[in-house]
Amino acid sequence: MMEEKVSLLVIYTGGTIGMTKDPVSHALVPFNFDNIYEMMPVLKSFDFRIDFHSLETLIDSSNMKPSFWISLTHIIETNYELYDGFVVLHGSDTMAYTASALSFMLENLNKPVIFTGSQLPMGVIRTDGRENFLTSLEIAAAKDENMPLVPEVAIYFENHLMRGNRTTKFNAERFNAFVSGNYPLLADVGVHIRYNKNNIIKPNFKKLKVHINLDFNVTILKLFPGISENVVKSTLAIPGLKALILETFGSGNAPTDEWFIHCLENAINRGLIIYNVTQCKSGSVELGKYETSVDLGRIGVIGGFDITTESALAKLMYLIGEGYSKDRIIELLQTSIRGEMTVEE
Ligand code: ASP
């Protein structure tokens, strides 16, 4: 019997990668995927079937909204049984947010969903988009004993395959735009694609479960030296606010001023969830390590270990949207549910 070809669905959302020079105006315009095989004849040399799906509205990812995350989730859900893997072409600016969100929205994912983009448009000679795209296709198609090698939401960018909900965009200029500061690479790409199999989530063979009820009553407050009572109070007074991500210094530290601790304590007593995430790109929150975090722990601020802000935001929207009790949300905020954090005992 002939073996079936691996099949991939490429979902194009917009961003720099899909831009090309208009031959008449010479301006950068979104690429028409109907002509993809003429633009990239090399695609024909892959031994797998590749289909393309463009979102109706192509966007710069700075315009990304959770409604797009929901559309993407729907596209993957509808096509889940039809394809072996998915490649999502996305602007790099908010790619870490979308990849984080999809990791929570797609429970029991057993197929690759590989996000990629580029710093230079595909239609520019020195583009990084071509390599990023072609390698992402190879990764999405990769199998080991007939099982996908990377059955998780990941970002591939300039040699590195990273768990999506561990990434942050940290460079607007260089081709290696993303960092995964607290989790090892899923694969390192050079002449060979070297998968770090021990770091990749194993398939659980359960049925895909999609979650689209996100709650947007979440915000982020980044601490800085000199932050005023006014700023803190106004943020905590946002009508309907259910959770606040407090971006703290170092290993979860914050000012010890009485007014500051009081404001947070009152808000927690009113029912607000405050989630402590470090501003550092690497390392973990350790409440109580320094005197400057002891009070936070005492008043009920929840430590987010080494979770990224992008992932914390998506996780809170997801957990609150699911309608869990507050106690359960607090428990899950300190548990790794999609490999998004390392919980130190
Ligand atoms: N502003 C663009 C976007 O995020 C940048 C990129 O694609 O890399 O859509």
Side-chain angles (χ1 to χ4, degrees), residues 14-17 59-62 90-95 117-120 157 169:
T16 302
I17 191 166
I59 56 163
D60 181 298
S61 77
S62 300
H90 192 292
S92 61
D93 289 348
T94 61
M95 189 185 287
S118 66
Q119 297 280 51
L120 278 176
F157 228 88
K169 181 172 180 182

Side-chain angles (χ1 to χ4, degrees), residues 188-200:
D188 204 351
V189 180
V191 173
H192 302 285
I193 303 182
R194 299 200 187 278
Y195 292 95
N196 298 317
K197 290 188 191 163
N198 292 339
N199 302 330
I200 300 175

Side-chain angles (χ1 to χ4, degrees), residues 102-115:
L102 261 69
S103 76
F104 295 109
M105 295 166 80
L106 299 168
E107 189 181 350
N108 301 329
L109 182 70
N110 282 294
K111 295 189 178 184
V113 174
I114 312 297
F115 278 75

Side-chain angles (χ1 to χ4, degrees), residues 9 11 53 70-83 86 106 208 210:
L9 182 64
I11 306 168
H53 182 110
I70 295 172
S71 307
L72 262 180
T73 305
H74 274 314
I75 297 169
I76 293 172
E77 182 185 22
T78 317
N79 290 287
Y80 193 70
E81 296 306 332
L82 304 175
Y83 294 92
F86 301 84
L106 299 168
L208 180 74
V210 161

Side-chain angles (χ1 to χ4, degrees), residues 126-141:
R126 228 160 39 75
T127 185
D128 51 329
R130 188 174 185 278
E131 192 276 325
N132 284 350
F133 180 39
L134 297 177
T135 306
S136 296
L137 290 169
E138 257 192 59
I139 291 169

